[in-house]
Amino acid sequence: MSRQVIKRRSRGFICINAHPEGCRMNVERQIAVAEQTPPAREGVPRNVLIIGASTGYGLACRIAAAWGYGARTLGVFFERPPDDDKTASAGYYNTAALDHCARRDGLLAAHINGDAFSDECKRKTIEIVRREFSPLDLIIYSLASPKRTHPRTGVVHNSVLKPIGQAYSNRTIELDSEKVVSVTLPPASDKEIADTVAVMGGEDWRIWIEALAKEGLLAPGVRTLAYSYIGPEMTWPIYRDGTIGRAKHDLEQTARALDGLVSPKLGGRALICVNKAVVTQASAAIPVVPLYISLLIKVMKEKGLEEGPIEQMRRLFVDFLAIGDDPSTDDGGRVRLDDREMRPEVQAEIANLWPQVTSENLRSLTDFDAYQRQFRNLFGFEVDGVDYERPAEISVELPFD
Protein backbone atom coordinates (compact mmCIF):
# COMPACT_ATOMS: atom_id res chain seq x y z
CA MET A 1 0.00 0.00 0.00
CA SER A 2 1.35 3.42 -0.91
CA ARG A 3 -0.61 6.49 0.14
CA GLN A 4 0.45 10.02 -0.71
CA VAL A 5 -0.87 13.51 -1.22
CA ILE A 6 -0.85 13.95 -5.00
CA LYS A 7 -0.29 17.39 -6.49
CA ARG A 8 -0.75 17.92 -10.21
CA ARG A 9 2.44 18.11 -12.26
CA SER A 10 2.16 19.34 -15.83
CA ARG A 11 4.47 19.82 -18.75
CA GLY A 12 3.06 21.55 -21.81
CA PHE A 13 -0.04 19.73 -23.02
CA ILE A 14 0.29 16.72 -20.68
CA CYS A 15 -0.01 15.96 -17.01
CA ILE A 16 2.77 13.63 -15.93
CA ASN A 17 0.84 12.20 -13.00
CA ALA A 18 -2.78 11.34 -12.17
CA HIS A 19 -5.08 11.21 -9.18
CA PRO A 20 -6.87 7.86 -8.62
CA GLU A 21 -9.76 9.32 -6.61
CA GLY A 22 -10.39 12.03 -9.18
CA CYS A 23 -10.37 9.44 -11.96
CA ARG A 24 -12.81 7.30 -9.99
CA MET A 25 -15.18 10.24 -9.56
CA ASN A 26 -15.01 10.97 -13.30
CA VAL A 27 -15.98 7.38 -14.10
CA GLU A 28 -18.82 7.42 -11.56
CA ARG A 29 -20.19 10.64 -13.11
CA GLN A 30 -20.16 9.10 -16.57
CA ILE A 31 -21.90 5.98 -15.28
CA ALA A 32 -24.65 8.15 -13.79
CA VAL A 33 -25.22 9.73 -17.23
CA ALA A 34 -25.26 6.35 -18.98
CA GLU A 35 -27.77 4.93 -16.52
CA GLN A 36 -30.31 7.52 -17.70
CA THR A 37 -30.34 5.96 -21.18
CA PRO A 38 -33.90 5.24 -22.38
CA PRO A 39 -34.81 1.65 -23.28
CA ALA A 40 -33.60 0.49 -26.67
CA ARG A 41 -36.03 -0.31 -29.45
CA GLU A 42 -33.95 -3.12 -30.95
CA GLY A 43 -30.39 -4.02 -31.85
CA VAL A 44 -28.89 -3.71 -28.37
CA PRO A 45 -25.22 -4.72 -28.41
CA ARG A 46 -24.42 -7.60 -26.06
CA ASN A 47 -20.73 -8.33 -26.65
CA VAL A 48 -18.63 -5.23 -27.29
CA LEU A 49 -14.92 -4.88 -28.03
CA ILE A 50 -13.42 -1.40 -27.60
CA ILE A 51 -9.91 -0.92 -28.97
CA GLY A 52 -8.60 2.16 -27.18
CA ALA A 53 -10.90 1.94 -24.15
CA SER A 54 -9.30 3.77 -21.25
CA THR A 55 -9.84 7.49 -21.89
CA GLY A 56 -11.91 9.94 -23.93
CA TYR A 57 -14.47 8.62 -26.38
CA GLY A 58 -13.32 5.00 -26.02
CA LEU A 59 -13.93 5.00 -22.26
CA ALA A 60 -17.23 6.85 -22.64
CA CYS A 61 -18.41 4.40 -25.29
CA ARG A 62 -17.58 1.47 -23.01
CA ILE A 63 -19.54 3.04 -20.17
CA ALA A 64 -22.50 3.87 -22.43
CA ALA A 65 -22.64 0.27 -23.68
CA ALA A 66 -22.28 -1.35 -20.25
CA TRP A 67 -24.41 0.88 -18.03
CA GLY A 68 -26.83 1.97 -20.72
CA TYR A 69 -27.58 -1.47 -22.16
CA GLY A 70 -25.95 -4.06 -19.89
CA ALA A 71 -23.38 -5.00 -22.54
CA ARG A 72 -20.42 -7.25 -21.77
CA THR A 73 -17.31 -5.24 -22.67
CA LEU A 74 -13.71 -6.09 -23.44
CA GLY A 75 -11.37 -3.10 -23.41
CA VAL A 76 -7.93 -2.96 -25.03
CA PHE A 77 -5.54 -0.16 -24.09
CA PHE A 78 -1.90 0.64 -23.32
CA GLU A 79 -1.57 2.33 -19.93
CA ARG A 80 1.16 2.76 -17.31
CA PRO A 81 0.58 0.97 -13.97
CA PRO A 82 1.76 2.50 -10.67
CA ASP A 83 5.44 2.06 -9.94
CA ASP A 84 6.83 2.51 -6.41
CA ASP A 85 5.95 6.12 -5.49
CA LYS A 86 4.88 7.07 -9.05
CA THR A 87 1.21 7.21 -9.93
CA ALA A 88 -0.28 5.18 -12.72
CA SER A 89 -1.55 6.90 -15.85
CA ALA A 90 -5.07 8.32 -15.80
CA GLY A 91 -6.30 5.62 -18.18
CA TYR A 92 -5.11 2.93 -15.79
CA TYR A 93 -7.00 4.50 -12.88
CA ASN A 94 -10.07 5.02 -15.09
CA THR A 95 -10.12 1.34 -15.91
CA ALA A 96 -9.57 0.32 -12.29
CA ALA A 97 -12.61 2.41 -11.34
CA LEU A 98 -14.66 0.95 -14.18
CA ASP A 99 -13.68 -2.57 -13.13
CA HIS A 100 -14.74 -1.92 -9.53
CA CYS A 101 -18.09 -0.47 -10.61
CA ALA A 102 -18.74 -3.31 -13.07
CA ARG A 103 -18.17 -5.93 -10.36
CA ARG A 104 -20.39 -3.98 -7.99
CA ASP A 105 -23.17 -3.79 -10.58
CA GLY A 106 -22.89 -7.34 -11.91
CA LEU A 107 -21.49 -6.43 -15.34
CA LEU A 108 -18.82 -8.40 -17.18
CA ALA A 109 -15.82 -6.18 -18.01
CA ALA A 110 -12.48 -7.63 -19.10
CA HIS A 111 -9.30 -5.72 -19.87
CA ILE A 112 -6.11 -6.17 -21.88
CA ASN A 113 -3.21 -3.79 -21.25
CA GLY A 114 -0.95 -4.06 -24.25
CA ASP A 115 0.10 -2.71 -27.63
CA ALA A 116 -3.04 -2.96 -29.75
CA PHE A 117 -0.94 -2.67 -32.91
CA SER A 118 0.88 -5.92 -32.12
CA ASP A 119 -0.01 -9.43 -33.31
CA GLU A 120 0.45 -10.68 -29.75
CA CYS A 121 -2.26 -8.38 -28.41
CA LYS A 122 -4.61 -9.41 -31.20
CA ARG A 123 -4.03 -13.11 -30.49
CA LYS A 124 -4.71 -12.58 -26.80
CA THR A 125 -7.87 -10.63 -27.58
CA ILE A 126 -9.11 -13.37 -29.91
CA GLU A 127 -8.58 -15.98 -27.18
CA ILE A 128 -10.62 -13.98 -24.66
CA VAL A 129 -13.35 -13.17 -27.17
CA ARG A 130 -13.67 -16.84 -28.08
CA ARG A 131 -13.91 -17.78 -24.40
CA GLU A 132 -16.11 -14.99 -23.02
CA PHE A 133 -17.47 -12.61 -25.69
CA SER A 134 -18.30 -14.59 -28.81
CA PRO A 135 -19.84 -13.55 -31.06
CA LEU A 136 -19.05 -9.83 -31.10
CA ASP A 137 -21.85 -7.57 -32.28
CA LEU A 138 -20.03 -4.23 -31.86
CA ILE A 139 -16.36 -3.34 -32.32
CA ILE A 140 -15.28 0.24 -31.64
CA TYR A 141 -11.89 1.40 -32.92
CA SER A 142 -10.86 4.43 -30.83
CA LEU A 143 -7.10 4.15 -30.79
CA ALA A 144 -4.97 7.29 -30.35
CA SER A 145 -1.21 6.84 -30.34
CA PRO A 146 1.77 8.95 -31.39
CA LYS A 147 3.63 5.98 -32.84
CA ARG A 148 3.20 2.45 -34.15
CA THR A 149 5.61 -0.42 -34.53
CA HIS A 150 4.41 -2.22 -37.63
CA PRO A 151 3.75 -5.88 -36.79
CA ARG A 152 4.94 -7.13 -40.19
CA THR A 153 8.01 -4.98 -40.87
CA GLY A 154 9.12 -3.98 -37.37
CA VAL A 155 9.43 -0.38 -38.61
CA VAL A 156 8.53 2.30 -36.04
CA HIS A 157 6.26 4.98 -37.53
CA ASN A 158 5.84 8.34 -35.75
CA SER A 159 2.89 10.60 -36.49
CA VAL A 160 3.24 14.38 -36.86
CA LEU A 161 0.86 17.33 -36.69
CA LYS A 162 1.76 19.32 -39.79
CA PRO A 163 0.15 20.96 -42.81
CA ILE A 164 0.72 19.57 -46.28
CA GLY A 165 2.15 21.56 -49.18
CA GLN A 166 2.97 24.82 -47.45
CA ALA A 167 3.63 26.26 -44.01
CA TYR A 168 0.64 27.22 -41.88
CA SER A 169 0.38 30.13 -39.43
CA ASN A 170 -2.41 30.89 -36.99
CA ARG A 171 -2.98 31.54 -33.32
CA THR A 172 -3.26 29.14 -30.44
CA ILE A 173 -3.11 29.06 -26.66
CA GLU A 174 0.26 28.26 -25.13
CA LEU A 175 -0.95 26.09 -22.27
CA ASP A 176 2.09 26.62 -20.03
CA SER A 177 2.05 30.43 -20.18
CA GLU A 178 -1.72 30.73 -20.77
CA LYS A 179 -1.07 33.23 -23.54
CA VAL A 180 -2.47 33.58 -27.04
CA VAL A 181 0.51 33.21 -29.37
CA SER A 182 1.18 32.88 -33.06
CA VAL A 183 2.45 29.55 -34.33
CA THR A 184 3.90 28.59 -37.69
CA LEU A 185 4.23 24.96 -38.70
CA PRO A 186 6.41 23.81 -41.60
CA PRO A 187 4.90 21.48 -44.20
CA ALA A 188 5.28 17.75 -43.72
CA SER A 189 7.65 15.67 -45.81
CA ASP A 190 6.38 12.74 -47.83
CA LYS A 191 7.81 10.37 -45.21
CA GLU A 192 6.06 12.21 -42.38
CA ILE A 193 2.76 12.00 -44.26
CA ALA A 194 3.20 8.28 -44.86
CA ASP A 195 4.20 7.67 -41.25
CA THR A 196 1.16 9.55 -39.93
CA VAL A 197 -1.12 7.49 -42.15
CA ALA A 198 0.59 4.31 -40.94
CA VAL A 199 -0.12 5.27 -37.31
CA MET A 200 -3.54 6.94 -37.53
CA GLY A 201 -5.01 5.55 -40.74
CA GLY A 202 -7.14 2.47 -41.21
CA GLU A 203 -4.66 -0.36 -41.70
CA ASP A 204 -4.69 -1.55 -38.09
CA TRP A 205 -8.49 -1.34 -37.89
CA ARG A 206 -8.66 -3.51 -41.02
CA ILE A 207 -6.22 -6.06 -39.55
CA TRP A 208 -8.35 -6.30 -36.39
CA ILE A 209 -11.63 -6.88 -38.23
CA GLU A 210 -10.14 -9.34 -40.72
CA ALA A 211 -8.55 -11.33 -37.88
CA LEU A 212 -11.82 -11.50 -35.94
CA ALA A 213 -13.76 -12.44 -39.09
CA LYS A 214 -11.27 -15.20 -39.94
CA GLU A 215 -11.82 -16.72 -36.50
CA GLY A 216 -15.61 -16.61 -36.91
CA LEU A 217 -16.07 -14.24 -33.97
CA LEU A 218 -18.37 -11.68 -35.62
CA ALA A 219 -22.11 -11.92 -35.06
CA PRO A 220 -24.73 -11.54 -37.79
CA GLY A 221 -25.49 -7.84 -38.10
CA VAL A 222 -22.16 -6.88 -36.51
CA ARG A 223 -21.24 -3.22 -36.56
CA THR A 224 -17.78 -1.70 -36.35
CA LEU A 225 -17.10 2.01 -35.97
CA ALA A 226 -13.96 4.13 -36.04
CA TYR A 227 -13.97 7.67 -34.71
CA SER A 228 -12.99 10.73 -36.71
CA TYR A 229 -13.29 14.49 -36.77
CA ILE A 230 -13.86 17.08 -39.50
CA GLY A 231 -14.22 20.45 -37.80
CA PRO A 232 -14.58 23.97 -39.24
CA GLU A 233 -12.60 25.32 -42.17
CA MET A 234 -10.40 27.43 -39.88
CA THR A 235 -8.81 24.23 -38.56
CA TRP A 236 -8.56 22.40 -41.87
CA PRO A 237 -4.97 23.41 -42.79
CA ILE A 238 -3.66 21.71 -39.63
CA TYR A 239 -6.34 19.06 -39.37
CA ARG A 240 -8.56 18.02 -42.28
CA ASP A 241 -6.08 19.08 -45.00
CA GLY A 242 -2.98 18.22 -42.96
CA THR A 243 -1.24 14.98 -42.03
CA ILE A 244 -4.01 13.98 -39.61
CA GLY A 245 -6.61 14.60 -42.30
CA ARG A 246 -4.69 12.41 -44.72
CA ALA A 247 -4.79 9.63 -42.12
CA LYS A 248 -8.52 10.20 -41.55
CA HIS A 249 -9.11 9.97 -45.31
CA ASP A 250 -7.38 6.59 -45.24
CA LEU A 251 -9.60 5.62 -42.30
CA GLU A 252 -12.71 6.46 -44.35
CA GLN A 253 -11.45 4.41 -47.29
CA THR A 254 -10.91 1.52 -44.89
CA ALA A 255 -14.48 1.85 -43.63
CA ARG A 256 -15.80 1.40 -47.16
CA ALA A 257 -13.58 -1.66 -47.69
CA LEU A 258 -14.62 -3.21 -44.37
CA ASP A 259 -18.26 -2.50 -45.12
CA GLY A 260 -17.77 -4.61 -48.24
CA LEU A 261 -16.48 -7.40 -46.00
CA VAL A 262 -19.10 -7.46 -43.22
CA SER A 263 -22.19 -6.28 -45.11
CA PRO A 264 -22.70 -9.05 -47.69
CA LYS A 265 -21.50 -11.89 -45.46
CA LEU A 266 -23.01 -10.90 -42.12
CA GLY A 267 -25.50 -8.14 -42.85
CA GLY A 268 -23.25 -5.83 -40.83
CA ARG A 269 -21.87 -2.34 -41.26
CA ALA A 270 -18.49 -0.63 -40.99
CA LEU A 271 -18.87 3.09 -40.37
CA ILE A 272 -17.00 6.26 -39.54
CA CYS A 273 -18.46 8.23 -36.64
CA VAL A 274 -17.58 11.94 -36.71
CA ASN A 275 -17.56 13.26 -33.16
CA LYS A 276 -17.61 16.74 -31.66
CA ALA A 277 -14.35 18.43 -30.64
CA VAL A 278 -13.70 17.84 -26.94
CA VAL A 279 -10.80 18.36 -24.55
CA THR A 280 -8.47 15.37 -24.69
CA GLN A 281 -4.74 14.93 -24.31
CA ALA A 282 -4.58 14.28 -28.06
CA SER A 283 -6.53 17.41 -29.04
CA ALA A 284 -4.48 19.55 -26.65
CA ALA A 285 -1.39 18.68 -28.69
CA ILE A 286 -2.81 20.10 -31.92
CA PRO A 287 -1.92 23.77 -32.48
CA VAL A 288 -4.93 26.10 -32.90
CA VAL A 289 -7.33 23.53 -31.43
CA PRO A 290 -7.10 24.64 -27.75
CA LEU A 291 -8.19 28.17 -28.73
CA TYR A 292 -10.95 26.81 -30.94
CA ILE A 293 -12.29 24.48 -28.22
CA SER A 294 -12.17 27.28 -25.62
CA LEU A 295 -14.45 29.31 -27.90
CA LEU A 296 -16.58 26.28 -28.76
CA ILE A 297 -17.27 25.52 -25.09
CA LYS A 298 -18.38 29.10 -24.47
CA VAL A 299 -20.66 29.31 -27.50
CA MET A 300 -22.23 25.88 -27.09
CA LYS A 301 -22.84 26.44 -23.36
CA GLU A 302 -24.61 29.71 -24.09
CA LYS A 303 -26.82 27.97 -26.64
CA GLY A 304 -27.52 24.97 -24.41
CA LEU A 305 -25.77 22.59 -26.81
CA GLU A 306 -22.61 21.58 -24.95
CA GLU A 307 -21.81 17.87 -24.73
CA GLY A 308 -18.89 15.91 -23.30
CA PRO A 309 -17.76 12.45 -24.44
CA ILE A 310 -20.29 10.51 -22.36
CA GLU A 311 -23.21 12.63 -23.59
CA GLN A 312 -22.00 12.09 -27.17
CA MET A 313 -21.63 8.34 -26.74
CA ARG A 314 -25.01 8.04 -25.04
CA ARG A 315 -26.52 9.81 -28.06
CA LEU A 316 -24.59 7.50 -30.41
CA PHE A 317 -26.29 4.48 -28.89
CA VAL A 318 -29.75 6.00 -28.47
CA ASP A 319 -30.00 7.61 -31.91
CA PHE A 320 -27.84 5.35 -34.08
CA LEU A 321 -26.86 1.96 -32.63
CA ALA A 322 -29.89 0.77 -30.64
CA ILE A 323 -32.60 1.50 -33.16
CA GLY A 324 -32.86 -1.84 -34.98
CA ASP A 325 -32.26 -0.24 -38.40
CA ASP A 326 -29.22 0.99 -40.27
CA PRO A 327 -28.10 4.29 -38.72
CA SER A 328 -28.65 7.46 -40.72
CA THR A 329 -25.49 8.83 -42.34
CA ASP A 330 -24.36 11.82 -44.37
CA ASP A 331 -23.53 11.79 -48.09
CA GLY A 332 -20.12 10.30 -47.25
CA GLY A 333 -21.65 7.42 -45.32
CA ARG A 334 -20.58 8.87 -41.96
CA VAL A 335 -22.51 9.01 -38.70
CA ARG A 336 -22.49 12.66 -37.62
CA LEU A 337 -22.39 13.39 -33.89
CA ASP A 338 -20.78 16.77 -34.61
CA ASP A 339 -24.09 18.15 -35.90
CA ARG A 340 -24.53 20.53 -32.98
CA GLU A 341 -20.95 21.82 -33.17
CA MET A 342 -21.29 22.46 -36.89
CA ARG A 343 -24.55 24.41 -36.73
CA PRO A 344 -24.12 27.60 -38.80
CA GLU A 345 -25.00 29.87 -35.86
CA VAL A 346 -22.37 28.20 -33.65
CA GLN A 347 -19.62 28.45 -36.24
CA ALA A 348 -20.54 32.03 -37.18
CA GLU A 349 -20.17 33.19 -33.59
CA ILE A 350 -16.82 31.44 -33.21
CA ALA A 351 -15.59 33.01 -36.45
CA ASN A 352 -16.65 36.42 -35.19
CA LEU A 353 -14.86 36.03 -31.85
CA TRP A 354 -11.70 34.38 -33.20
CA PRO A 355 -9.80 37.51 -34.39
CA GLN A 356 -10.76 39.44 -31.24
CA VAL A 357 -9.13 37.07 -28.72
CA THR A 358 -5.90 38.24 -27.07
CA SER A 359 -3.95 37.13 -24.03
CA GLU A 360 -5.57 39.96 -22.08
CA ASN A 361 -9.20 39.10 -22.88
CA LEU A 362 -8.76 35.32 -23.21
CA ARG A 363 -10.91 34.51 -20.20
CA SER A 364 -13.68 36.97 -21.02
CA LEU A 365 -14.12 36.13 -24.72
CA THR A 366 -13.60 32.37 -24.37
CA ASP A 367 -14.24 29.77 -21.69
CA PHE A 368 -10.57 28.96 -21.21
CA ASP A 369 -11.29 28.37 -17.52
CA ALA A 370 -13.58 25.48 -18.49
CA TYR A 371 -11.01 24.24 -21.00
CA GLN A 372 -8.33 24.14 -18.29
CA ARG A 373 -10.63 22.48 -15.80
CA GLN A 374 -11.72 19.82 -18.31
CA PHE A 375 -8.09 19.19 -19.26
CA ARG A 376 -7.07 18.73 -15.64
CA ASN A 377 -10.14 16.60 -14.99
CA LEU A 378 -8.79 14.14 -17.56
CA PHE A 379 -6.03 13.29 -15.10
CA GLY A 380 -8.23 13.30 -12.02
CA PHE A 381 -7.44 16.83 -10.85
CA GLU A 382 -9.84 19.67 -9.95
CA VAL A 383 -12.70 17.17 -9.81
CA ASP A 384 -15.61 18.26 -7.62
CA GLY A 385 -15.91 16.26 -4.41
CA VAL A 386 -12.26 15.19 -4.15
CA ASP A 387 -10.15 16.26 -1.15
CA TYR A 388 -6.73 16.81 -2.67
CA GLU A 389 -5.12 17.40 0.72
CA ARG A 390 -5.99 13.86 1.75
CA PRO A 391 -3.49 11.05 0.97
CA ALA A 392 -4.69 8.75 -1.82
CA GLU A 393 -3.78 5.14 -2.46
CA ILE A 394 -1.77 5.04 -5.69
CA SER A 395 -1.13 1.28 -5.79
CA VAL A 396 -4.44 0.31 -7.33
CA GLU A 397 -4.58 -3.22 -8.70
CA LEU A 398 -6.32 -4.02 -11.95
CA PRO A 399 -7.11 -7.62 -12.96
CA PHE A 400 -6.00 -8.38 -16.50
CA ASP A 401 -7.07 -11.32 -18.61
Side-chain angles (χ1 to χ4, degrees), residues 39-46 69 223 317-318 320-325:
R41 284 172 269 172
E42 294 182 63
V44 176
R46 296 301 183 191
Y69 296 102
R223 290 169 178 172
F317 278 89
V318 171
F320 296 95
L321 296 183
I323 57 175
D325 301 313

Side-chain angles (χ1 to χ4, degrees), residues 300-368:
M300 292 191 73
K301 274 185 178 179
E302 290 174 349
K303 297 183 182 300
L305 300 172
E306 177 64 351
E307 292 178 310
I310 187 59
E311 290 81 13
Q312 286 262 292
M313 294 299 97
R314 179 178 177 272
R315 190 153 64 92
L316 171 64
F317 278 89
V318 171
D319 293 347
F320 296 95
L321 296 183
I323 57 175
D325 301 313
D326 275 347
S328 59
T329 59
D330 67 6
D331 292 341
R334 298 166 295 210
V335 171
R336 298 299 293 267
L337 287 179
D338 64 340
D339 52 340
R340 298 176 184 181
E341 172 186 356
M342 299 310 297
R343 288 185 182 184
E345 65 270 24
V346 170
Q347 290 303 317
E349 190 163 342
I350 291 173
N352 177 59
L353 290 170
W354 183 272
Q356 302 178 46
V357 180
T358 65
S359 298
E360 290 70 31
N361 63 23
L362 175 63
R363 282 182 162 80
S364 61
L365 289 189
T366 79
D367 202 341
F368 182 59

Side-chain angles (χ1 to χ4, degrees), residues 248-297:
K248 296 301 185 183
H249 176 71
D250 184 78
L251 196 68
E252 293 187 15
Q253 289 183 313
T254 300
R256 289 189 283 272
L258 289 177
D259 200 58
L261 170 67
V262 300
S263 182
K265 292 182 179 180
L266 296 165
R269 294 298 309 274
L271 297 162
I272 295 296
C273 181
V274 181
N275 297 332
K276 167 186 172 289
V278 293
V279 181
T280 66
Q281 185 170 325
S283 68
I286 305 173
V288 180
V289 170
L291 178 55
Y292 170 73
I293 294 181
S294 296
L295 284 165
L296 180 67
I297 293 170

Side-chain angles (χ1 to χ4, degrees), residues 5 37-38 46 51 99 105 112 116 173 186 211 216 224 297 325 332 339 349 352 369 380:
V5 174
T37 299
R46 296 301 183 191
I51 303 158
D99 182 84
D105 297 337
I112 297 174
I173 301 173
T224 180
I297 293 170
D325 301 313
D339 52 340
E349 190 163 342
N352 177 59
D369 286 338

